[in-house]
Amino acid sequence: MAMPRCEGGRIMYWWFLIMVMLCSLVLGCQCAAFNDFFYPSWALDHVMSQGELLQLKLDPTSGAGFASKNTYMFGKANVQMKLVPGDSAGTVTAFYMSSQGDQHDEFDYEFLGNTSGEPYVVQTNVYSNGVGNREQRIFLWFDPTADFHTYSFLWNRQQAVFFVDDVPIRVFPNNEKRGVPYPQTRPMGIFSSIWNADNWATQGGRVKTDWSHSPFISTYKNFNIDACRDSGPQSLMRRCSLWWDQPVYSSLNAKQSMQLKWVHEKYMIYDYCKDSARFPTPPAECA
């Protein structure tokens, strides 16, 4: 009986290796170190690596950013982040997905800095066919500077969902039947950056960056991409029919719907759909 167990173990071991290789090479299913699938995209001397941690630094000379080496079509991407502590007024740390070109698609997290003691504001936005202006803002229900928290995008043909620690904070459903363009034709890269935006980021630009508190540092770990990597136009859509296209991911479940309602009722401070000054006629997706 020992030999069959040994042979079975070898078979399972090689089958596991084959599946890992296929996942990495074909599907883009990745969970690894920063350098495996990202690179510093600007201000290389402001991108710092400390073991498993990556840090982006903002000082009076520059901000910094990184970008994925590949683009992706549908799936899930997330990272654990610890935001700038203390007086971070005027700064913005962003984590986002974006395609290229004038009619680009984009999903944004923008973490707006604050004066010490105030809650952090998260602004989300969605672009489709180059059209954005879909901002929502919420307060976070925890201190994002005290520990790491997970920020995620889930993107498929039916919906794009923004998650914070697996709690949905925003859903952008496919409303093409209402004439609303939906991002589903352009592969997107994954990016993050930190920069000075004191002309608008904190209290509408009334509070400026206090450079005596610099450098401002955002910290990252546990990068994870489980998505379909774009390797050319041939059969891209067909190859992306994977777990995220299962019916269970076409909409929020009952628990997630309650979580989203809780976030919006307790922590939402701005919703473009309710801004009649900007949009006297509500956008079609807000109906």
Side-chain angles (χ1 to χ4, degrees):
M1 295 298 293
M3 182 59 70
R5 286 198 296 268
C6 182
E7 290 300 321
R10 291 195 185 102
I11 292 171
M12 291 302 297
Y13 173 75
W14 286 108
W15 176 248
F16 172 78
L17 289 181
I18 291 170
M19 292 302 295
V20 169
M21 293 173 62
L22 287 174
C23 183
S24 176
L25 296 175
V26 179
L27 306 179
C29 174
Q30 305 176 49
C31 180
F34 171 82
N35 291 331
D36 289 338
F37 45 78
F38 288 102
Y39 67 94
S41 54
W42 57 287
L44 273 64
D45 60 338
H46 284 52
V47 181
M48 303 166 291
S49 179
Q50 296 185 353
E52 67 171 358
L53 303 181
L54 180 84
Q55 294 183 324
L56 297 183
K57 179 174 71 173
L58 167 66
D59 61 23
T61 66
S62 181
F66 63 79
S68 61
K69 297 177 181 178
N70 300 294
T71 57
Y72 302 89
M73 192 71 171
F74 305 133
K76 190 171 185 179
N78 60 264
V79 66
Q80 289 189 305
M81 298 173 57
K82 184 189 293 185
L83 299 180
V84 177
D87 186 349
S88 58
T91 71
V92 173
T93 300
F95 174 53
Y96 61 103
M97 299 185 66
S98 181
S99 63
Q100 304 299 314
D102 294 336
Q103 293 186 316
H104 77 292
D105 301 325
E106 187 171 329
F107 305 136
D108 292 332
Y109 284 100
E110 292 179 314
F111 302 92
L112 311 184
N114 60 5
T115 56
S116 297
E118 294 183 353
Y120 244 90
V121 173
V122 180
Q123 174 172 284
T124 59
N125 201 355
V126 175
Y127 285 76
S128 53
N129 283 3
V131 177
N133 297 323
R134 297 184 172 99
E135 298 91 348
Q136 291 182 352
R137 291 186 179 184
I138 67 167
F139 286 130
L140 289 172
W141 53 93
F142 52 84
D143 180 359
T145 73
D147 203 351
F148 287 93
H149 293 268
T150 303
Y151 305 93
S152 309
F153 299 105
L154 171 64
W155 175 36
N156 58 30
R157 293 180 178 87
Q158 290 75 40
Q159 61 176 354
V161 187
F162 296 66
F163 290 95
V164 175
D165 291 335
D166 291 327
V167 174
I169 65 167
R170 179 170 188 170
V171 177
F172 186 76
N174 186 336
N175 277 314
E176 288 188 325
K177 292 182 178 179
R178 296 182 180 179
V180 181
Y182 181 77
Q184 61 174 338
T185 60
R186 301 175 182 89
M188 289 194 268
I190 302 167
F191 306 85
S192 189
S193 57
I194 185 171
W195 76 95
N196 179 41
D198 64 4
N199 61 322
W200 66 272
T202 305
Q203 298 182 26
R206 292 187 295 274
V207 180
K208 303 301 181 180
T209 303
D210 184 348
W211 293 107
S212 69
H213 296 299
S214 69
F216 303 101
I217 295 176
S218 55
T219 307
Y220 305 77
K221 69 176 183 177
N222 293 341
F223 299 92
N224 189 299
I225 302 173
D226 189 355
C228 206
R229 190 173 69 197
D230 178 26
S231 57
Q234 291 80 15
S235 304
L236 177 61
M237 296 292 286
R238 186 166 59 252
R239 287 191 295 106
C240 285
S241 296
L242 294 171
W243 64 263
W244 46 81
D245 279 336
Q246 297 175 15
V248 68
Y249 299 107
S250 64
S251 61
L252 300 185
N253 60 36
K255 178 182 177 180
Q256 291 171 331
S257 296
M258 292 297 294
Q259 290 174 324
L260 181 67
K261 181 180 179 181
W262 172 75
V263 171
H264 285 192
E265 288 181 349
K266 291 184 66 69
Y267 299 105
M268 180 172 282
I269 56 175
Y270 177 80
D271 183 359
Y272 77 106
C273 284
K274 299 178 181 178
D275 192 338
S276 58
R278 287 179 67 195
F279 305 103
T281 300
E285 68 267 23
C286 298

